[in-house]
Each structure stands twice: as structure tokens, then as C-alpha cells.
Amino acid sequence: MSYVDEIIEQVIKQNPAEPEFHQAVKEVLESLRVVVDANEEKFRRDALLERIVNPERQFKFRVPWVDDKGQVHVNTGYRVQFNSAIGPYKGGLRLHPSVNLGIIKFLGFEQIFKNSLTGLPIGGGKGGSDFDPKGKSDREIMAFCQSFMTELCKYIGADTDVPAGDIGTGAREIGYMFGQYKRIRGVYEGVLTGKGLSYGGSLARTEATGYGLLYLTAEMLKCNGETIEGKTVAVSGAGNVAIYAIQKAQQLGAKVVTASDSTGWVYDPDGIDVAALKEIKEVNRARLTEYKKYRPNSEYHEGKGVWTVKVDIALPCATQNELDLEDAKTLVANGVLAVCEGANMPTTLEATEYFQKNGVYFVPGKAANAGGVATSALEMSQNSERLSWSFEEVDSKLKGIMVNLFHNIDNAAKKYGFEGNYVVGANIAGFEKVVDAMTAQGIV
Ligand code: NDP
């Protein structure tokens, strides 16, 4: 049996009931086959794949908090410190009822390669909790965040592990967590990114993932003789990534006609109104059913359906496995040209393969959404210097990073004979740097 197959089998056996983690490992290792096969003897001797699929460390802890009626609740908190070969662990904190160890491990594993692709010195980690922020009062959110950080603060620090936001963890939650870290540890340091501007946050961090997605998409299209201008785009999600992806797509001359949330989706033939979307989601924290009040010409539909709309470009920006084989078939039948992932692993393996077989340009999340973590690393740099850069400076660095990143994955794919396969390109380019650093640092 090949080394890759052996490790996939081992991961499934040793980590039962963690399907998302299995899926991520499979996706990455399958596309590394060509590199692993070429170095099999050395990699086997160094147990390199065993080391890369096993987190360096993982924490699971109790998070008790009291609601507004005096009722105590207990959630589970996680932090997985996956790989620190190229820098301090870096990766977001997800607050969502679906969170479990397998999901955090899938995200942490992906994060290793994504962070490597940014070209910046950051290792891979991820964390979160099964706490559901929906419908909670500000005080309840604060109570949860303080309790969560009371335990998490033992394991993180500006030079060891620097968490950030993710689903359910926005500026408000980061603020409460930062306050509690400072209070307990007594240090004012850049231990979290995605902070507010008044206490060490970076300009353009809020926009970074969505903007970065579009900078990369535009570069990818340009290199394939296409342009984003005049294209029709479907975006899923209505959160941080989706909102700024829509905004930048519109600035670049595309028309975005959809957005969605966990209960339904909107189709706006005249192009999504970003100001309305921001008010509904960022200010009122309401459902997308509200959108029709702002745009009477739009349609609201319950459930899933964004991928049934005829578009040139699809940008899944909500959550994992939200675009399956059936969706891929519909998009291809409707003539989709490109799919670039704003979310982490939103496309199932079967759907990805279907796109690739049908000549659709497909860029995986670990490359396409790396703008968020790249800008988090720029926030860390600003915190270390105790300086803040202008919006334009951060945005232009972000653009440079995303353009370079695209060329790195494109070149890695070409080097190994997989021209145009950006999944293989991203995994190889991310992997090579991490392996190089791990090898240099010995068996640790
Ligand atoms: P948000 O919480 O801001 O938004 C998530 C959006 O997706 C919301 O509109 C939410 O709906 C919707 N959603 C969540 N779960 C589901 C579900 N099960 N089915 C349908 N819709 C769902 O998160 P972000 O925008 O920050 O993150 C989106 C994705 O991008 C995630 O995969 C995240 O890991 C990834 N990502 C985020 C980065 C960042 O910088 N924020 C960086 C890199 C990747 P509702 O409004 O109803 O909650």
C-alpha cells in the first residue's frame, strides 16, 4: 500500500467519528501523492506524514456561563495547535452549535497549508466552541467569552498562539475575549487578531478575506485570458466573508445576484445592495427575510438554492460542504466559468472533481480565502511594532500577497504536470515550505 493510502487509513482508524477531518486529510494527501511518492523513502523514515496529520497539541475544556435568567449552561471549548514549524499557531475561533473536535481539526489542518501559502511566518491552529451566539444578549455573549478565555488564556500568547475570528466570532466577541485575556494575564499584547481599531486592530482586516478572494479571482481569470468585469456572480453566505466579497466584486465591475444565510437565500436581479445587507446582518443581526424591505424587486426563498441561479462565477462564502455534486452539476449545466472558495471547504470532494473534469477554474479555500489570515499576520506585525498602517497600505499589501499566492499555486501545479489544477498547486506549494521547516528542525 502506498504511504499516502496508509496514512489516510490510519487517520480514519485513529480519529473515529471525525468525518470532516478525514475529508480534509484525504483531499490534501491525495493531491500530494506526486510529491510523497517521489520522496517516499525519506518521508517514511522521518514519519513525516504521521507528524503532519497529528496535532502538536489539543485542548478540550469546560465553559460554564450564566444566562440572563440565572440559568447555568456548560459548553465545550477547543483549541487545536496543529503545526508550528513556520511560526506561532494562527487560526480562528468558531462559535457554532455544530462545532466538535473533528471540525476544529479539519480547520486546523487546512490552516497549516493556508498559512504557509501566505508567505508569512504563521503556523496552523484552530479553536472554538459549540456555543450558539444566536439570540443571546450582549451580556450573555460577554459571559460566555469571558469564561471561554479564562481557560484559553493558559495556552495562547502573542509569540505562541494567536487566535482570530471565524463563524460566530466577530469584533464584539474578540473584544470581550481580549479584555478578559488582559485582565487575567496582565499583559497588553497582540494575542488576538480581528481586534477593534481603538485597541490594536488593523485597518482592512474586516474586509480582508472577501477582498482577498476577489483579488485572487481577478488574477486567476486574467491569467486565463478572462476578466471579472461584466460577469454575473453568485455568492452564498451573508457574513463577514460574503459581504466584503460582494462589495469588492461590485467594485471590480461584476454583478452579484445572490446572498444566503442559514435559513434562506435572496436573488436580486439588479445586484445585491451591500449597504442593506450590512444593516441587516452587522447592525440588526436579523434574517435575510428583511432584505425584501430594502429591495422590493428581489426574491427571498427558504432553504438552499443559491447554486441554481445561472452565473459565470460562484463564490461559496458560508460554511463547509454547502456545495455538493448536484449543485455542481447545475452550475456546470448553467455554464459556470469559475468557482473560488471564500469559505473553508464549502465544496464536497465529488463536486470539486466534477468542476475540474468539466473545465471549470476551481480555486480551493486554503488559497482563495487566505487574505484573512494574511491580514491577521499584518495585524501581528503592526502590534509588534506598536504602529498602525493606513487602509491603503494594508490593502495594497493584501493585494500583493494574493497575486503572489496565485502565481505560487499556479507554478507549483505546472511544475508537477498538473497545469490549471489549483487544488494540487495549493496543497503542494503550502506543503513544501512546511516540510522544509519541519525537516530543518529535526524530529520534534
Ligand atoms: P460569519 O459568521 O460572519 O458568516 C457565516 C455566514 O454563513 C452567515 O451568513 C451564516 O448564516 C451562514 N451559515 C453558517 N452556517 C451555515 C449553514 N450551516 N448553512 C447555511 N449557511 C450557514 O462567518 P464568516 O463570514 O467569517 O466565515 C464564513 C466562512 O469563511 C467559514 O467557512 C469560515 O471558516 C471561512 N473563513 C473566514 C475568514 C474570516 O476572516 N472571517 C477567513 C477565512 C475563512 P446566519 O447569518 O444565519 O448565521
Side-chain angles (χ1 to χ4, degrees), residues 94-96 98 106-107 111 114 126 134 164-170 205-206 208-210 236-243 260-264 281 286-288 304 316-320 322 341-346 365 369-373 376:
R94 178 172 293 191
L95 301 183
H96 193 271
S98 65
F106 122 62
L107 292 162
Q111 197 82 43
K114 180 191 303 191
K126 196 82 188 185
K134 283 209 183 82
D166 189 64
I167 291 180
T169 307
R205 173 60 188 93
T206 307
T209 309
S236 64
N240 172 264
V241 180
I243 288 174
S260 67
D261 66 12
S262 43
T263 50
K281 285 293 173 183
R287 311 248 48 102
L288 270 183
K304 248 188 96 169
C317 296
T319 193
Q320 66 271 8
E322 51 156 318
E341 296 185 324
N344 286 314
M345 211 168 73
N369 69 31
V373 74
S376 278

Short mmCIF file of all heavy atoms in Angstrom, two decimals, residues 94-96 98 106-107 111 114 126 134 164-170 205-206 208-210 236-243 260-264 281 286-288 304 316-320 322 341-346 365 369-373 376, ligand 1:
data_model
loop_
_atom_site.label_atom_id
_atom_site.label_comp_id
_atom_site.label_asym_id
_atom_site.label_seq_id
_atom_site.Cartn_x
_atom_site.Cartn_y
_atom_site.Cartn_z
N ARG A 94 -14.19 29.37 16.16
CA ARG A 94 -15.54 29.22 15.61
C ARG A 94 -16.54 28.99 16.74
O ARG A 94 -16.36 28.08 17.55
CB ARG A 94 -15.59 28.07 14.61
CG ARG A 94 -16.98 27.85 14.05
CD ARG A 94 -17.00 26.87 12.93
NE ARG A 94 -16.32 27.36 11.74
CZ ARG A 94 -16.37 26.78 10.55
NH1 ARG A 94 -17.08 25.69 10.39
NH2 ARG A 94 -15.72 27.28 9.52
N LEU A 95 -17.58 29.82 16.78
CA LEU A 95 -18.65 29.62 17.76
C LEU A 95 -19.92 29.25 17.00
O LEU A 95 -20.54 30.09 16.33
CB LEU A 95 -18.90 30.91 18.56
CG LEU A 95 -17.71 31.46 19.35
CD1 LEU A 95 -18.12 32.69 20.16
CD2 LEU A 95 -17.12 30.40 20.28
N HIS A 96 -20.27 27.97 17.06
CA HIS A 96 -21.44 27.48 16.31
C HIS A 96 -21.84 26.14 16.93
O HIS A 96 -20.97 25.35 17.32
CB HIS A 96 -21.05 27.29 14.83
CG HIS A 96 -22.24 27.09 13.93
ND1 HIS A 96 -22.76 25.85 13.67
CD2 HIS A 96 -22.99 27.98 13.24
CE1 HIS A 96 -23.80 25.99 12.85
NE2 HIS A 96 -23.96 27.27 12.58
N SER A 98 -22.62 23.45 15.74
CA SER A 98 -22.11 22.26 15.05
C SER A 98 -20.65 21.94 15.41
O SER A 98 -20.12 20.90 15.00
CB SER A 98 -22.20 22.47 13.53
OG SER A 98 -21.34 23.53 13.15
N PHE A 106 -10.22 19.55 11.29
CA PHE A 106 -10.22 19.77 9.83
C PHE A 106 -9.77 21.20 9.53
O PHE A 106 -8.92 21.45 8.68
CB PHE A 106 -11.59 19.42 9.22
CG PHE A 106 -12.30 20.52 8.47
CD1 PHE A 106 -11.75 21.09 7.33
CD2 PHE A 106 -13.56 20.97 8.89
CE1 PHE A 106 -12.42 22.11 6.64
CE2 PHE A 106 -14.23 21.96 8.21
CZ PHE A 106 -13.65 22.55 7.08
N LEU A 107 -10.32 22.14 10.29
CA LEU A 107 -9.98 23.54 10.04
C LEU A 107 -8.52 23.82 10.37
O LEU A 107 -7.83 24.54 9.64
CB LEU A 107 -10.92 24.46 10.84
CG LEU A 107 -12.39 24.44 10.36
CD1 LEU A 107 -13.32 25.01 11.42
CD2 LEU A 107 -12.55 25.23 9.05
N GLN A 111 -5.52 24.94 7.88
CA GLN A 111 -4.89 26.22 8.21
C GLN A 111 -3.36 26.15 8.07
O GLN A 111 -2.73 27.14 7.72
CB GLN A 111 -5.27 26.58 9.66
CG GLN A 111 -5.04 28.03 10.02
CD GLN A 111 -6.17 28.94 9.57
OE1 GLN A 111 -7.33 28.60 9.73
NE2 GLN A 111 -5.85 30.09 9.02
N LYS A 114 -2.72 26.76 4.37
CA LYS A 114 -3.17 28.11 4.01
C LYS A 114 -2.17 29.15 4.52
O LYS A 114 -1.74 30.04 3.79
CB LYS A 114 -4.54 28.37 4.64
CG LYS A 114 -5.08 29.74 4.33
CD LYS A 114 -6.29 30.09 5.16
CE LYS A 114 -7.40 29.08 5.00
NZ LYS A 114 -8.65 29.53 5.59
N LYS A 126 -6.52 26.11 15.28
CA LYS A 126 -7.93 26.48 15.17
C LYS A 126 -8.60 26.19 16.51
O LYS A 126 -8.13 25.32 17.26
CB LYS A 126 -8.61 25.67 14.07
CG LYS A 126 -9.94 26.22 13.62
CD LYS A 126 -9.80 27.35 12.60
CE LYS A 126 -11.12 28.02 12.30
NZ LYS A 126 -11.00 29.02 11.23
N LYS A 134 -26.40 32.96 18.52
CA LYS A 134 -27.69 33.47 18.02
C LYS A 134 -28.69 33.63 19.15
O LYS A 134 -28.86 32.73 19.98
CB LYS A 134 -28.26 32.53 16.98
CG LYS A 134 -27.58 32.67 15.66
CD LYS A 134 -28.53 32.33 14.50
CE LYS A 134 -27.77 32.41 13.21
NZ LYS A 134 -27.01 31.18 12.95
N ALA A 164 -8.04 34.15 16.13
CA ALA A 164 -8.73 35.24 15.43
C ALA A 164 -10.21 34.91 15.37
O ALA A 164 -10.66 33.95 16.00
CB ALA A 164 -8.16 35.35 14.02
N GLY A 165 -10.98 35.67 14.59
CA GLY A 165 -12.41 35.40 14.43
C GLY A 165 -12.67 34.26 13.46
O GLY A 165 -11.76 33.78 12.78
N ASP A 166 -13.88 33.81 13.41
CA ASP A 166 -14.36 32.84 12.42
C ASP A 166 -15.89 32.91 12.52
O ASP A 166 -16.42 33.88 13.10
CB ASP A 166 -13.83 31.43 12.70
CG ASP A 166 -14.12 30.46 11.56
OD1 ASP A 166 -13.61 30.67 10.45
OD2 ASP A 166 -14.90 29.49 11.75
N ILE A 167 -16.58 31.90 12.04
CA ILE A 167 -18.05 31.91 12.14
C ILE A 167 -18.44 32.16 13.60
O ILE A 167 -17.94 31.50 14.51
CB ILE A 167 -18.63 30.56 11.67
CG1 ILE A 167 -18.44 30.41 10.15
CG2 ILE A 167 -20.12 30.44 12.02
CD1 ILE A 167 -18.98 29.12 9.57
N GLY A 168 -19.30 33.14 13.80
CA GLY A 168 -19.82 33.42 15.14
C GLY A 168 -18.90 34.25 16.02
O GLY A 168 -19.30 34.69 17.09
N THR A 169 -17.66 34.44 15.61
CA THR A 169 -16.74 35.27 16.40
C THR A 169 -16.37 36.49 15.57
O THR A 169 -15.54 36.42 14.66
CB THR A 169 -15.45 34.49 16.76
OG1 THR A 169 -15.82 33.27 17.38
CG2 THR A 169 -14.56 35.28 17.71
N GLY A 170 -17.04 37.59 15.88
CA GLY A 170 -16.77 38.85 15.18
C GLY A 170 -16.08 39.82 16.12
O GLY A 170 -15.55 39.42 17.17
N ARG A 205 -8.69 44.67 8.01
CA ARG A 205 -8.82 43.27 8.42
C ARG A 205 -10.25 42.78 8.20
O ARG A 205 -10.48 41.66 7.76
CB ARG A 205 -8.41 43.06 9.90
CG ARG A 205 -8.69 41.65 10.43
CD ARG A 205 -7.94 40.58 9.65
NE ARG A 205 -8.29 39.20 9.99
CZ ARG A 205 -9.22 38.47 9.36
NH1 ARG A 205 -9.94 38.99 8.37
NH2 ARG A 205 -9.43 37.22 9.70
N THR A 206 -11.23 43.65 8.51
CA THR A 206 -12.63 43.26 8.34
C THR A 206 -12.92 42.88 6.89
O THR A 206 -13.61 41.90 6.61
CB THR A 206 -13.55 44.44 8.74
OG1 THR A 206 -13.16 44.85 10.04
CG2 THR A 206 -15.01 44.05 8.74
N ALA A 208 -10.67 41.94 4.66
CA ALA A 208 -9.56 41.22 4.03
C ALA A 208 -9.93 39.90 3.35
O ALA A 208 -9.46 39.63 2.24
CB ALA A 208 -8.46 40.98 5.04
N THR A 209 -10.74 39.06 3.99
CA THR A 209 -10.99 37.74 3.38
C THR A 209 -11.79 37.90 2.09
O THR A 209 -11.44 37.32 1.06
CB THR A 209 -11.72 36.82 4.38
OG1 THR A 209 -10.98 36.83 5.61
CG2 THR A 209 -11.80 35.40 3.86
N GLY A 210 -12.84 38.70 2.15
CA GLY A 210 -13.66 38.92 0.96
C GLY A 210 -12.89 39.64 -0.14
O GLY A 210 -12.92 39.24 -1.31
N SER A 236 -22.71 32.80 -1.72
CA SER A 236 -23.51 32.27 -0.61
C SER A 236 -22.97 32.86 0.67
O SER A 236 -21.82 33.28 0.74
CB SER A 236 -23.42 30.74 -0.57
OG SER A 236 -22.09 30.37 -0.30
N GLY A 237 -23.83 32.86 1.72
CA GLY A 237 -23.44 33.47 2.98
C GLY A 237 -23.86 34.93 3.01
O GLY A 237 -24.19 35.53 1.96
N ALA A 238 -23.89 35.48 4.20
CA ALA A 238 -24.20 36.90 4.37
C ALA A 238 -23.42 37.40 5.57
O ALA A 238 -23.83 38.33 6.27
CB ALA A 238 -25.70 37.09 4.59
N GLY A 239 -22.29 36.75 5.80
CA GLY A 239 -21.45 37.12 6.94
C GLY A 239 -20.26 37.94 6.50
O GLY A 239 -20.28 38.56 5.43
N ASN A 240 -19.23 37.90 7.32
CA ASN A 240 -18.06 38.75 7.07
C ASN A 240 -17.46 38.50 5.68
O ASN A 240 -17.20 39.43 4.93
CB ASN A 240 -17.03 38.50 8.17
CG ASN A 240 -15.72 39.20 7.88
OD1 ASN A 240 -14.79 38.60 7.35
ND2 ASN A 240 -15.65 40.47 8.21
N VAL A 241 -17.22 37.25 5.35
CA VAL A 241 -16.56 36.96 4.07
C VAL A 241 -17.46 37.35 2.90
O VAL A 241 -17.05 38.04 1.96
CB VAL A 241 -16.18 35.46 3.98
CG1 VAL A 241 -15.50 35.17 2.65
CG2 VAL A 241 -15.28 35.06 5.14
N ALA A 242 -18.73 36.93 2.98
CA ALA A 242 -19.67 37.17 1.88
C ALA A 242 -19.85 38.67 1.63
O ALA A 242 -19.78 39.13 0.48
CB ALA A 242 -21.01 36.52 2.20
N ILE A 243 -20.06 39.43 2.66
CA ILE A 243 -20.36 40.87 2.50
C ILE A 243 -19.24 41.58 1.75
O ILE A 243 -19.46 42.32 0.78
CB ILE A 243 -20.62 41.53 3.87
CG1 ILE A 243 -21.99 41.07 4.41
CG2 ILE A 243 -20.56 43.06 3.78
CD1 ILE A 243 -22.31 41.55 5.82
N SER A 260 -26.99 34.47 1.00
CA SER A 260 -27.81 33.50 1.74
C SER A 260 -27.45 33.52 3.22
O SER A 260 -26.41 34.06 3.61
CB SER A 260 -27.58 32.08 1.19
OG SER A 260 -26.27 31.66 1.46
N ASP A 261 -28.32 32.95 4.03
CA ASP A 261 -27.94 32.71 5.42
C ASP A 261 -28.41 31.32 5.81
O ASP A 261 -28.80 30.53 4.93
CB ASP A 261 -28.42 33.82 6.39
CG ASP A 261 -29.92 33.90 6.51
OD1 ASP A 261 -30.61 32.98 6.06
OD2 ASP A 261 -30.41 34.89 7.08
N SER A 262 -28.38 31.00 7.09
CA SER A 262 -28.65 29.60 7.43
C SER A 262 -30.12 29.23 7.28
O SER A 262 -30.47 28.06 7.40
CB SER A 262 -28.12 29.27 8.83
OG SER A 262 -28.44 30.29 9.71
N THR A 263 -30.99 30.19 6.99
CA THR A 263 -32.38 29.79 6.77
C THR A 263 -32.86 29.96 5.33
O THR A 263 -33.80 29.29 4.91
CB THR A 263 -33.35 30.55 7.71
OG1 THR A 263 -33.05 31.93 7.63
CG2 THR A 263 -33.23 30.08 9.13
N GLY A 264 -32.25 30.84 4.54
CA GLY A 264 -32.73 31.03 3.18
C GLY A 264 -31.77 31.85 2.33
O GLY A 264 -30.64 32.09 2.74
N LYS A 281 -27.38 42.36 8.62
CA LYS A 281 -26.55 41.35 9.29
C LYS A 281 -25.62 41.92 10.36
O LYS A 281 -25.43 41.32 11.41
CB LYS A 281 -25.73 40.59 8.24
CG LYS A 281 -26.57 39.60 7.45
CD LYS A 281 -27.06 38.47 8.37
CE LYS A 281 -28.03 37.54 7.73
NZ LYS A 281 -28.52 36.52 8.65
N ALA A 286 -30.19 40.41 11.95
CA ALA A 286 -31.50 39.83 11.61
C ALA A 286 -31.38 38.81 10.49
O ALA A 286 -30.29 38.50 10.02
CB ALA A 286 -32.44 40.96 11.19
N ARG A 287 -32.50 38.27 10.05
CA ARG A 287 -32.53 37.26 8.98
C ARG A 287 -32.62 37.92 7.62
O ARG A 287 -33.04 39.07 7.50
CB ARG A 287 -33.74 36.32 9.18
CG ARG A 287 -33.87 35.77 10.59
CD ARG A 287 -33.61 34.27 10.63
NE ARG A 287 -32.42 33.86 9.93
CZ ARG A 287 -31.25 33.55 10.50
NH1 ARG A 287 -31.11 33.60 11.79
NH2 ARG A 287 -30.22 33.18 9.79
N LEU A 288 -32.31 37.17 6.59
CA LEU A 288 -32.33 37.72 5.23
C LEU A 288 -33.75 38.00 4.73
O LEU A 288 -33.92 38.66 3.69
CB LEU A 288 -31.63 36.76 4.27
CG LEU A 288 -30.13 36.96 4.08
CD1 LEU A 288 -29.61 35.99 3.05
CD2 LEU A 288 -29.80 38.39 3.65
N LYS A 304 -32.03 26.04 0.76
CA LYS A 304 -30.86 26.14 -0.11
C LYS A 304 -31.27 26.51 -1.53
O LYS A 304 -32.37 26.17 -1.93
CB LYS A 304 -30.22 24.75 -0.18
CG LYS A 304 -28.87 24.62 0.47
CD LYS A 304 -28.26 23.26 0.17
CE LYS A 304 -27.32 23.34 -1.02
NZ LYS A 304 -26.50 22.15 -1.21
N PRO A 316 -18.66 30.39 -2.99
CA PRO A 316 -19.27 29.90 -1.75
C PRO A 316 -18.57 30.51 -0.53
O PRO A 316 -17.38 30.27 -0.34
CB PRO A 316 -19.08 28.38 -1.83
CG PRO A 316 -18.03 28.13 -2.86
CD PRO A 316 -17.92 29.35 -3.73
N CYS A 317 -19.30 31.26 0.27
CA CYS A 317 -18.70 32.01 1.38
C CYS A 317 -19.42 31.75 2.70
O CYS A 317 -19.36 32.60 3.61
CB CYS A 317 -18.74 33.51 1.08
SG CYS A 317 -17.76 34.00 -0.34
N ALA A 318 -20.15 30.62 2.84
CA ALA A 318 -20.90 30.40 4.08
C ALA A 318 -20.20 29.39 4.99
O ALA A 318 -19.66 29.74 6.04
CB ALA A 318 -22.32 29.96 3.77
N THR A 319 -20.19 28.11 4.59
CA THR A 319 -19.70 27.08 5.52
C THR A 319 -19.26 25.83 4.78
O THR A 319 -19.37 25.75 3.55
CB THR A 319 -20.82 26.77 6.57
OG1 THR A 319 -20.25 26.02 7.64
CG2 THR A 319 -21.97 26.00 5.96
N GLN A 320 -18.79 24.82 5.51
CA GLN A 320 -18.27 23.62 4.85
C GLN A 320 -19.38 22.79 4.21
O GLN A 320 -20.50 22.75 4.70
CB GLN A 320 -17.44 22.74 5.81
CG GLN A 320 -18.19 22.11 6.95
CD GLN A 320 -18.24 22.99 8.17
OE1 GLN A 320 -17.82 24.14 8.13
NE2 GLN A 320 -18.75 22.46 9.27
N GLU A 322 -21.30 23.06 1.65
CA GLU A 322 -22.56 23.71 1.26
C GLU A 322 -22.78 23.61 -0.25
O GLU A 322 -23.80 24.07 -0.76
CB GLU A 322 -22.56 25.17 1.71
CG GLU A 322 -21.31 25.92 1.26
CD GLU A 322 -21.47 27.41 1.14
OE1 GLU A 322 -22.50 27.84 0.63
OE2 GLU A 322 -20.55 28.13 1.53
N GLU A 341 -13.39 29.44 -3.60
CA GLU A 341 -13.98 29.22 -2.27
C GLU A 341 -13.61 30.34 -1.28
O GLU A 341 -12.44 30.48 -0.92
CB GLU A 341 -13.50 27.89 -1.71
CG GLU A 341 -13.96 26.68 -2.50
CD GLU A 341 -13.55 25.36 -1.85
OE1 GLU A 341 -12.45 25.28 -1.25
OE2 GLU A 341 -14.34 24.39 -1.94
N GLY A 342 -14.64 31.06 -0.82
CA GLY A 342 -14.42 32.05 0.24
C GLY A 342 -14.47 31.39 1.60
O GLY A 342 -13.75 31.75 2.52
N ALA A 343 -15.32 30.37 1.73
CA ALA A 343 -15.42 29.64 3.00
C ALA A 343 -14.37 28.53 3.04
O ALA A 343 -13.64 28.31 2.05
CB ALA A 343 -16.82 29.03 3.14
N ASN A 344 -14.27 27.84 4.16
CA ASN A 344 -13.36 26.71 4.28
C ASN A 344 -14.08 25.44 3.86
O ASN A 344 -15.10 25.09 4.46
CB ASN A 344 -12.86 26.58 5.71
CG ASN A 344 -11.83 27.65 6.03
OD1 ASN A 344 -10.92 27.91 5.25
ND2 ASN A 344 -11.97 28.29 7.19
N MET A 345 -13.55 24.78 2.84
CA MET A 345 -14.07 23.50 2.33
C MET A 345 -15.59 23.52 2.06
O MET A 345 -16.30 22.58 2.42
CB MET A 345 -13.73 22.38 3.31
CG MET A 345 -13.53 21.03 2.66
SD MET A 345 -12.80 19.83 3.81
CE MET A 345 -14.15 19.44 4.91
N PRO A 346 -16.10 24.56 1.41
CA PRO A 346 -17.55 24.60 1.14
C PRO A 346 -17.97 23.59 0.06
O PRO A 346 -19.14 23.24 -0.02
CB PRO A 346 -17.79 26.03 0.65
CG PRO A 346 -16.48 26.47 0.10
CD PRO A 346 -15.43 25.78 0.93
N GLY A 365 -10.36 26.95 -0.93
CA GLY A 365 -10.36 27.95 0.13
C GLY A 365 -8.99 28.21 0.73
O GLY A 365 -8.67 29.36 1.06
N ASN A 369 -9.17 32.02 0.27
CA ASN A 369 -9.59 32.84 1.41
C ASN A 369 -8.44 33.17 2.36
O ASN A 369 -8.67 33.60 3.49
CB ASN A 369 -10.79 32.22 2.14
CG ASN A 369 -10.44 30.93 2.88
OD1 ASN A 369 -9.32 30.77 3.37
ND2 ASN A 369 -11.40 30.02 2.99
N ALA A 370 -7.20 33.01 1.88
CA ALA A 370 -6.04 33.23 2.74
C ALA A 370 -5.81 34.71 3.06
O ALA A 370 -4.98 35.05 3.91
CB ALA A 370 -4.79 32.64 2.10
N GLY A 371 -6.55 35.60 2.40
CA GLY A 371 -6.38 37.03 2.64
C GLY A 371 -6.69 37.42 4.08
O GLY A 371 -6.11 38.36 4.62
N GLY A 372 -7.61 36.68 4.71
CA GLY A 372 -7.99 37.00 6.09
C GLY A 372 -6.83 36.75 7.03
O GLY A 372 -6.41 37.63 7.79
N VAL A 373 -6.28 35.56 6.95
CA VAL A 373 -5.19 35.24 7.88
C VAL A 373 -3.93 36.02 7.52
O VAL A 373 -3.16 36.42 8.40
CB VAL A 373 -4.94 33.71 7.95
CG1 VAL A 373 -4.25 33.17 6.73
CG2 VAL A 373 -4.14 33.36 9.20
N SER A 376 -4.35 39.16 9.16
CA SER A 376 -4.16 38.95 10.61
C SER A 376 -2.66 38.98 10.93
O SER A 376 -2.25 39.53 11.95
CB SER A 376 -4.73 37.61 11.03
OG SER A 376 -6.11 37.70 11.22
P1 NDP B 1 -19.96 34.63 9.61
O1 NDP B 1 -20.42 34.02 10.86
O2 NDP B 1 -19.72 36.10 9.56
O3 NDP B 1 -20.98 34.29 8.41
C1 NDP B 1 -21.27 32.99 8.06
C2 NDP B 1 -22.44 33.03 7.10
O4 NDP B 1 -22.73 31.72 6.65
C3 NDP B 1 -23.71 33.57 7.73
O5 NDP B 1 -24.47 34.24 6.76
C4 NDP B 1 -24.42 32.28 8.19
O6 NDP B 1 -25.82 32.43 8.27
C5 NDP B 1 -24.05 31.35 7.07
N1 NDP B 1 -24.01 29.97 7.57
C6 NDP B 1 -23.32 29.49 8.63
N2 NDP B 1 -23.55 28.18 8.81
C7 NDP B 1 -24.38 27.84 7.83
C8 NDP B 1 -25.00 26.63 7.45
N3 NDP B 1 -24.78 25.50 8.15
N4 NDP B 1 -25.82 26.63 6.36
C9 NDP B 1 -26.03 27.77 5.64
N5 NDP B 1 -25.47 28.95 5.97
C10 NDP B 1 -24.67 28.97 7.03
O7 NDP B 1 -18.65 33.83 9.17
P2 NDP B 1 -17.51 34.25 8.17
O8 NDP B 1 -18.08 35.02 7.04
O9 NDP B 1 -16.40 34.82 8.95
O10 NDP B 1 -17.00 32.82 7.65
C11 NDP B 1 -17.60 32.17 6.54
C12 NDP B 1 -16.68 31.05 6.08
O11 NDP B 1 -15.41 31.61 5.70
C13 NDP B 1 -16.35 29.98 7.12
O12 NDP B 1 -16.13 28.76 6.45
C14 NDP B 1 -15.02 30.47 7.69
O13 NDP B 1 -14.27 29.43 8.26
C15 NDP B 1 -14.37 30.98 6.43
N6 NDP B 1 -13.29 31.95 6.63
C16 NDP B 1 -13.50 33.12 7.31
C17 NDP B 1 -12.47 34.03 7.43
C18 NDP B 1 -12.68 35.35 8.06
O14 NDP B 1 -11.74 36.16 8.03
N7 NDP B 1 -13.83 35.67 8.62
C19 NDP B 1 -11.12 33.73 6.93
C20 NDP B 1 -11.04 32.51 6.15
C21 NDP B 1 -12.09 31.66 6.04
P3 NDP B 1 -26.50 33.22 9.51
O15 NDP B 1 -26.41 34.67 9.14
O16 NDP B 1 -27.89 32.70 9.51
O17 NDP B 1 -25.71 32.88 10.71
#
